[in-house]
Amino acid sequence: MPRLGYSDGMSRTFTKGDRVEWDSHGGTAVGTVEDTITSRTEAGGRTVDASPEEPQYLVRSEKSGGTAVHKPEALRPAKD
């Protein structure tokens, strides 16, 4: 089972395979972390300005199957 960790008690860190949720326009969305982004790149249909100190996460929605990039503060562990 993937491990979910917290780097400093405030900033959440996730790993590939973690099931997460976030607030969406239609309520709460649930998905799986597919990748950790740690450099400036194109992902999820936009330019992502990430770094090792400020990573972002590529997440695939369980409902739509689409991908999006989220900052760690926008994500939380999914409720089972």
Side-chain angles (χ1 to χ4, degrees), residues 14 18 20-25 29-37 41-48 55-72 74-75:
F14 301 95
D18 285 341
V20 295
E21 63 183 31
W22 61 95
D23 295 327
S24 181
H25 301 296
V30 178
T32 304
V33 174
E34 293 205 334
D35 196 14
T36 301
I37 302 168
T41 189
E42 296 286 327
R46 66 179 179 92
T47 300
V48 178
Q56 296 190 36
Y57 297 96
L58 180 67
V59 180
R60 182 169 303 276
S61 168
E62 289 180 2
K63 184 175 181 180
S64 70
T67 59
V69 177
H70 295 285
K71 293 183 178 182
L75 300 172

Side-chain angles (χ1 to χ4, degrees), residues 4-13 73:
L4 173 66
Y6 294 92
S7 62
D8 62 4
M10 293 181 67
S11 191
R12 294 180 175 151
T13 59
E73 57 268 20

